Amino acid sequence: MKRMGAIDFLQLKIVKSCKILLIILSLPQISIASVSTVAVTTGRTNEHPTWLTPVSKNVLQKYLEIARERHNAFVKKALENFKTDHPLEVLSGRELAAEQALVDSLKFKEFCIESSNKLPDFHDELGDRKVFVTAPETPILSHEECKEIIELAEAAFAGKPFPTLPSGPYHIGGFWIKDVPEVREWYVRKVKTRLFPILRRQFPHFVDSVADLVVDNSYFFKYTPIPGRRTDIHTDQGCLSFTIALNSKHEYEGGGTWVEGLKSLDGKEENKGMIEMDTGHVTVRPAGIRHCGMPVTEGTRYIIGGFCMNSKRVEYVRMLMENDDACETSIREGLECIITINPGFDGAYSHLANSYKKMGQTEKAQKVLEHCLLKVNPCSGETAYCLGVMYYEQKKYKDAIDCMTICLAADSADGEAMNIMAQSMAKTGNVAEEDKWYQRILSTPGLCKKVHALAYCNMGILREGSDDEISYYQKSLEILPDYQPAIQSLGSAYASRKEWDEAAKAYRMVLESFEGKKEDRLDTLRLLYKVAIQKIRQGGGNMSSREQMVQQLNELMGFENYELLTSSIARKG
């Protein structure tokens, strides 16, 4: 049987990196000379890659204008969603003074970030990448305030399933705050009276006035110990972001926020890159820092995250990354402009490689990825993954393994990278190592359901003919009941044991909602036919009469499946 799933995750990984919401407002035009300065000061190397099409001044100016327009439109949308430009009529002067006193009293522990990657925008101003976490004695929210917002969120979805939000291949319990009016009203008050002033205080060189800040977007997350309940490693929207802890660390196991390159100010690694906060505490940071929310293994963790933009400062790189509605040529040109503006930001390279690949320029796509790992960021997990998949497709399995090693160094819980590792081991004949990678996948909490289901399925295939083979397929289907590779493998396992009824049932389930190539569908039809024939023979059916045999085949295979098989055979002549 064929092991499943090495290439399925390529597109998933490429598009998973920071889904950037954009925003916009009338600003002075940036000059070509200014852009040249940005490119020199933010890039790790000024060497012009031979594969990069030179970007003319006219083309660059065109895409800078596109970025400004996007920025203006999203600032407008942000103010419509959160109305942070409206006065706070519900608070008296005394109450506002008390809010300011609270902000002034806050103490913060400072961290720094050590990374070879550059921020997408404003690296010269935010590039020292300070991360600030409120000190234990000065939370931003009281226990009562945290309890209030949790109750508002839970009440909004009482009597129905709590919603989820996607993060790459993962899904987390949560919702966009703009979509829940009761929560939004509470949140906007806290943003205006506490979060915006904190950002102004901690980043005074970047935020001239709290009036310049807008909320790009914000979420409410509810982490639970269910597979898939972590976020992908990502960067946030906007240029500044924050995370607020809403309940006690004692109410859950696991959790916390992992931050790439997190160091104490004396240069020591901080708690393996983990930030753990108790009730009411906040972390504020530049939004372009890579991080992820870790899964909980017991209990429930509640947090709020917010992404803020400076309405007076265009994020040119991030604006040009938001190109979902553009044609392929515009996507490519925009990404080439990004690399011209900021060659030290690694996030554009995998997207540009994907664009080249879609246009049939596979060799050029590979050069883009290799250049990024060699010249820009040798630790870029996303780039390493995409390049590793290309090597896998080219049957360069050792090179694929090397790339996945880089990827897993960036994110040790990357299930897709573990799967490629397992598949590469299979291709090189190292069955023992293949099995170890599947075991690692299953022991890693928080991975998406498909990765766990695939691992169980392939472990069953590795144990073909053993007593516990079928149990692995059943475990796969407990996670994803409609997972076709596991259903088909289960059918084959039953057939090898001459359990014809169970085998036919499994094959028919595959065919009911088949997703795949026509040739694979025909193979499944043939397997079902063989099982049906064996069942008829086992029962002593009358095979001499063609009409009777056809009737029994229709009953066992299903009329549509039998007709599809016979018509396919007839067409092939």
Side-chain angles (χ1 to χ4, degrees):
M1 286 176 280
K2 182 173 67 174
R3 295 184 178 87
M4 305 300 296
I7 304 303
D8 294 345
F9 296 103
L10 175 59
Q11 293 300 321
L12 179 66
K13 290 285 289 194
I14 287 180
V15 300
K16 77 170 189 176
S17 64
C18 54
K19 174 65 177 176
I20 306 158
L21 298 181
L22 309 173
I23 322 185
I24 314 188
L25 186 132
S26 283
L27 298 168
Q29 289 200 354
I30 189 170
S31 67
I32 296 297
S34 299
V35 172
S36 299
T37 301
V38 172
V40 170
T41 57
T42 59
R44 182 177 176 179
T45 174
N46 294 327
E47 177 185 344
H48 185 86
T50 56
W51 49 261
L52 181 61
T53 304
V55 177
S56 69
K57 290 184 178 181
N58 288 339
V59 169
L60 186 56
Q61 194 62 59
K62 168 187 171 183
Y63 282 94
L64 293 177
E65 181 59 31
I66 289 173
R68 281 189 289 271
E69 291 173 356
R70 290 175 178 170
H71 175 80
N72 290 337
F74 276 85
V75 166
K76 180 180 178 182
K77 189 67 174 177
L79 292 174
E80 290 173 357
N81 286 336
F82 293 97
K83 296 180 173 56
T84 52
D85 55 339
H86 290 201
L88 284 172
E89 299 176 357
V90 296
L91 295 182
S92 66
R94 178 176 294 182
E95 288 170 326
L96 288 171
E99 291 288 340
Q100 185 59 53
L102 185 152
V103 171
D104 292 340
S105 70
L106 293 175
K107 298 178 182 179
F108 289 87
K109 183 175 181 180
E110 295 185 24
F111 302 91
C112 60
I113 301 295
E114 290 185 7
S115 172
S116 52
N117 188 36
K118 304 297 180 184
L119 296 179
D121 294 285
F122 311 118
H123 186 82
D124 292 340
E125 295 171 86
L126 299 173
D128 59 0
R129 294 184 269 196
K130 288 290 193 300
V131 175
F132 302 94
V133 183
T134 45
E137 66 271 21
T138 60
I140 186 178
L141 296 176
S142 67
H143 281 254
E144 292 74 19
E145 288 171 319
C146 291
K147 181 181 178 182
E148 179 187 8
I149 190 59
I150 290 173
E151 289 177 350
L152 284 172
E154 291 287 1
F157 299 96
K160 50 189 173 183
F162 205 82
T164 61
L165 291 174
S167 177
Y170 308 104
H171 285 79
I172 307 97
F175 56 87
W176 296 114
I177 289 176
K178 65 181 177 60
D179 297 328
V180 182
E182 302 90 339
V183 176
R184 183 183 63 218
E185 182 181 349
W186 180 97
Y187 173 76
V188 169
R189 289 200 304 270
K190 302 306 179 187
V191 165
K192 292 195 65 173
T193 58
R194 300 184 194 179
L195 272 306
F196 281 180
I198 288 172
L199 293 175
R200 169 73 180 90
R201 169 184 160 177
Q202 300 306 122
F203 300 95
H205 56 295
F206 185 74
V207 182
D208 296 327
S209 167
V210 293
D212 296 337
L213 294 172
V214 298
V215 177
D216 183 355
N217 218 337
S218 292
Y219 59 83
F220 182 104
F221 271 174
K222 178 182 179 179
Y223 287 91
T224 54
I226 302 171
R229 282 352 190 209
R230 59 161 280 186
T231 71
D232 204 3
I233 290 182
H234 63 283
T235 59
D236 288 335
Q237 303 153 201
C239 46
L240 297 172
S241 60
F242 57 84
T243 304
I244 307 172
L246 297 177
N247 63 323
S248 170
K249 294 188 294 183
H250 301 297
E251 294 179 15
Y252 56 85
E253 295 291 334
T257 302
W258 174 86
V259 180
E260 182 183 54
L262 186 72
K263 305 282 184 181
S264 58
L265 294 184
D266 60 8
K268 296 180 181 178
E269 183 180 23
E270 183 65 27
N271 192 26
K272 296 183 179 180
M274 292 293 297
I275 293 177
E276 297 176 319
M277 299 183 293
D278 219 329
T279 310
H281 286 274
V282 66
T283 298
V284 295
R285 59 185 180 269
I289 294 172
R290 283 195 179 96
H291 63 284
C292 75
M294 300 303 289
V296 300
T297 55
E298 288 185 28
T300 301
R301 177 189 179 216
Y302 294 96
I303 68 167
I304 283 177
F307 318 133
C308 298
M309 295 182 67
N310 188 325
S311 63
K312 299 293 179 62
R313 295 171 180 258
V314 180
E315 300 166 64
Y316 287 96
V317 169
R318 288 197 180 277
M319 296 302 112
L320 294 178
M321 291 284 285
E322 179 63 25
N323 50 28
D324 290 349
D325 298 329
C327 68
E328 201 58 52
T329 298
S330 295
I331 291 173
R332 174 183 55 78
E333 289 179 347
L335 292 166
E336 289 172 343
C337 286
I338 288 174
I339 291 173
T340 299
I341 294 169
N342 186 357
F345 168 58
D346 67 10
Y349 288 86
S350 57
H351 290 260
L352 182 58
N354 189 43
S355 180
Y356 285 149
K357 192 172 182 181
K358 286 182 179 178
M359 300 174 75
Q361 301 180 42
T362 303
E363 184 176 344
K364 192 171 186 178
Q366 182 171 321
K367 288 180 179 179
V368 172
L369 298 171
E370 290 172 341
H371 173 89
C372 182
L373 284 180
L374 181 65
K375 299 285 188 177
V376 181
N377 183 5
C379 302
S380 174
E382 180 182 340
T383 304
Y385 180 90
C386 296
L387 182 59
V389 169
M390 291 190 75
Y391 286 147
Y392 183 93
E393 292 171 333
Q394 298 166 11
K395 301 182 180 181
K396 297 178 179 178
Y397 302 119
K398 182 181 182 303
D399 292 335
I401 290 170
D402 290 342
C403 286
M404 294 306 142
T405 301
I406 296 172
C407 191
L408 288 163
D411 180 6
S412 61
D414 191 323
E416 296 97 317
M418 292 185 222
N419 177 55
I420 297 293
M421 277 290 208
Q423 298 291 316
S424 297
M425 295 300 177
K427 294 295 185 180
T428 56
N430 195 335
V431 176
E433 285 299 313
E434 178 189 5
D435 193 60
K436 285 181 181 179
W437 280 107
Y438 295 136
Q439 296 280 6
R440 177 169 167 178
I441 287 172
L442 297 178
S443 66
T444 301
L447 297 186
C448 68
K449 291 182 178 181
K450 185 175 181 180
V451 174
H452 274 152
L454 185 149
Y456 273 123
C457 180
N458 283 345
M459 288 180 73
I461 293 170
L462 286 176
R463 290 156 178 77
E464 186 173 358
S466 68
D467 292 340
D468 57 354
E469 176 191 4
I470 287 177
S471 67
Y472 282 96
Y473 305 139
Q474 291 171 334
K475 289 176 182 177
S476 179
L477 293 171
E478 287 174 8
I479 298 170
L480 286 181
D482 297 327
Y483 189 46
Q484 289 190 357
I487 300 172
Q488 178 131 347
S489 296
L490 184 61
S492 297
Y494 282 131
S496 68
R497 291 161 175 78
K498 298 182 180 181
E499 298 180 32
W500 309 121
D501 288 327
E502 293 298 323
K505 179 181 176 182
Y507 289 140
R508 289 183 66 169
M509 284 180 62
V510 171
L511 292 165
E512 282 175 6
S513 56
F514 189 84
E515 297 176 359
K517 299 177 182 178
K518 291 182 179 179
E519 295 81 0
D520 293 336
R521 183 187 184 95
L522 184 58
D523 287 343
T524 305
L525 287 167
R526 286 171 173 156
L527 289 172
L528 177 57
Y529 173 79
K530 291 177 181 178
V531 165
I533 290 293
Q534 292 300 324
K535 171 62 178 176
I536 294 170
R537 287 174 175 167
Q538 183 187 58
N542 185 358
M543 302 289 287
S544 60
S545 167
R546 184 179 186 281
E547 290 77 13
Q548 289 181 338
M549 183 181 71
V550 169
Q551 181 180 351
Q552 291 181 74
L553 287 170
N554 274 298
E555 291 174 356
L556 291 166
M557 294 180 64
F559 177 77
E560 290 184 1
N561 291 327
Y562 180 75
E563 288 296 309
L564 185 58
L565 177 62
T566 54
S567 61
S568 297
I569 293 173
R571 280 196 301 271
K572 292 201 170 192

